[in-house]
Every structure is written in C-alpha cells, then in structure tokens.
Amino acid sequence: MAGTMKEHMKERFGGGDNRTIYPPLPANLNIELNNTCNQKCEFCFAHGPHSQSTIKPAVMDFDFACALLKQAAEKGIGRHEVGFYSEGEVFLYRRFPEIVAYAKELGFQYTFVTSNGALATPDVLKKVVDAGLDSIRFSVNAADRETYKTVHGTDDFDQVLENIRWLHQYKTENNIKINTSISAVMTKRTIGDKNKINDVFGDYVDEILFIPVLTEKNELRDYDVDITEEFAIYDDKKIQKKEYKGCPIPFNTMYIDAEGKVFICCDTYFVPLRVADLHEEMDMEKVWNSDLMVKYRKSLMDKELDGTYCKNCIQIWGGAERLQME
C-alpha cells in the first residue's frame, strides 16, 4: 500500500501493468454507501450550485453492503484496498463504523474514506477508528471560516478543524496507525491560500495534497454554465490530445454506487451507463469480465475511443499528474 496520498493517487491512476482484456480481479474496490451530501461546494459537479446532476438519493442496505464485502473477500477483490465513498458523504451513513469493523473482520488489509469532516465528530470518529479504519482523507478547500462558507456552502469550518484536531490527539495518545490527510481543491479563489492551509492544518494531518479543480465541460461533467473562467487554474483544452496516457482504472478497480450498480470509473458516475446491477447479477467476477468492461478495456488498449465516454476524459490525456499540483 502506498505510504502517502500522493503515492496512492499515482499508484491507482498512473499505474497499469495489468492492461489486458481479462485482467486479474480488481485489487481495488470502491463501495459508495450513501450518495447524498451535507455540503454544496461551489465547484462540485455532484452537489454544487452549478451541477446539473439529478442524483436520486440512495443509501445502500447494510446487509447488502456486507454481502458485497463478503463475496469480494472470498474472490480476492479489494485485496489491495477498499474505499467507502464516491459522490456522497460517508458520515451520513449511520452504520459506517459497523461496515469498517466487518471489512477488517473479513481480512481487508487497507480501508479508506474521503469525507468533508463536518459530521466526523469525536464520538463517531472514535467508533470508526477503533473499528480499524486505515486512512481518512478530509476534503478541506479553504483556510478560514469566511472563505470556507463561500466555497463549501456551509458554516462548518470551526467544526471540521475541531474534529481534525481531536483525531490527531486521539491517534497520537493511543499510538494508532491511521493515515490522515487533507485534499484541498484549488480554484482561482483559493490558489493563494496554500500556505495558509498548511499553517492551519499541517500539524494535525500526515499530508496535505493540493488538487487543481477540474472544470472542462464534456459528457462527463455537464455544468449548467461554463465555470472554467470563474474557477479554473489550468486550461484543460491545452492538455487534451497532446499525449495519450491511457487509463488503468478499468483494469484495476471496481466501483459500486449506492444503488448497488457497477460503473466503469469515478468519472462515469453521472453518465447513463452502468455495467451491471448487483441486485440482479451478484457474481462480481462475472461482472468484472462482462462485455461492457471488455469493450472499454479494448478501446483503451487500442486507442480507439470513439463511441466511449473515455474520449474526452482528462485522465486519458493528462494522466495522474493532472490530478495534483505541488
């Protein structure tokens, strides 16, 4: 397992030695337990004010989630890592600590989650950490309360800072080995606040990663207005079509949404495309080797992307390097 969040991102989004039509069962597994969120970040194409997504609120049934984990453990899916998030805020899921405990009981070596941290209060965090969560990434995109209210759409800055401070103290006093990090999405509004974010949070987490906002409008991100001028730091149009990077995700990761449906990658969440409904076809190995997965793998290997959602994805042209900045 990668030791830092930056290494983790390069490993998942930049690696790819198993690029065959029928690769081994995925070592990485993402299960979305809940798809709603308690915040409305201004740049978010899932829940933000500019989003056109019409997410039907869904919460995964606890027993179904456990059944997925059990089958995955038996087949070796997620043997490298299991994440419990996608577009929703995982701490809205009431039985999240029990899910983590069950995953660790099944033997999954590395469990992780991304959260905005507002609902990760000490009492809940203690349950999750004690259950064995291996890594938590806090999405914090501002350095002060007023900017945070503008960016996140909520007045949660002080609570998030308190929660992160508590976790740092708890892990330190009890010698708990949980990786803690912050991912900060940088826009034109906040690009000058990197040092401030480091000053405020740097002593309380293991790592801070600054991620440039993705704003390019295409089939994968259908904003109701062109927000590139307002937020973008980089011009993604200059990156696209320069150098083909490919994508390892359909070769190494399985994504499952809160409705129990498998989707090809994190960027295809909002397109009308699902590989399978696991309520109807519960064989995860069969789904991994389905015709649709094979089609996308072949397209990526042959660099023939017409007719696929991969064609305009920044990952294909920018690679893992596009997802982070120094």
Side-chain angles (χ1 to χ4, degrees), residues 83-131:
F84 296 105
Y85 72 96
S86 184
E87 305 309 321
E89 169 52 50
V90 72
F91 283 95
L92 286 168
Y93 193 81
R94 183 173 56 87
R95 302 183 71 175
F96 179 48
E98 295 175 68
I99 288 289
V100 174
Y102 186 61
K104 299 307 291 184
E105 178 185 327
L106 289 170
F108 289 105
Q109 68 166 345
Y110 195 86
T111 56
F112 71 98
V113 71
T114 293
S115 166
N116 58 52
L119 302 176
T121 53
D123 57 331
V124 179
L125 270 177
K126 184 179 186 303
K127 292 178 182 178
V128 172
V129 172
D130 290 351

Side-chain angles (χ1 to χ4, degrees), residues 137-237:
R137 180 189 309 171
F138 295 100
S139 177
V140 183
N141 308 296
D144 59 76
R145 183 181 177 187
E146 290 306 312
T147 306
Y148 189 98
K149 285 194 291 186
T150 300
V151 174
H152 285 254
T154 62
D155 189 10
D156 293 327
F157 182 82
D158 291 341
Q159 182 66 62
V160 170
L161 180 55
E162 178 184 336
N163 295 344
I164 293 174
R165 283 173 171 168
W166 180 90
L167 179 56
H168 171 71
Q169 181 177 352
Y170 184 64
K171 68 174 281 192
T172 301
E173 291 178 349
N174 295 278
N175 195 29
I176 296 173
K177 293 182 180 180
I178 178 174
N179 180 269
T180 59
S181 57
I182 283 176
S183 62
V185 175
M186 294 285 96
T187 68
K188 286 180 180 177
R189 187 190 306 282
T190 57
I191 189 62
D193 293 341
K194 291 167 62 179
N195 289 337
K196 292 181 182 178
I197 292 175
N198 275 318
D199 290 343
V200 174
F201 295 97
D203 290 338
Y204 307 114
V205 294
D206 300 316
E207 182 185 14
I208 298 177
L209 183 64
F210 297 99
I211 303 174
V213 67
L214 298 176
T215 61
E216 182 64 23
K217 182 171 181 175
N218 54 43
E219 300 98 319
L220 302 173
R221 296 180 182 85
D222 191 17
Y223 289 110
D224 59 356
V225 294
D226 184 0
I227 66 173
T228 300
E229 189 66 29
E230 183 176 358
F231 293 116
I233 299 169
Y234 302 137
D235 184 353
D236 287 336
K237 290 180 180 178

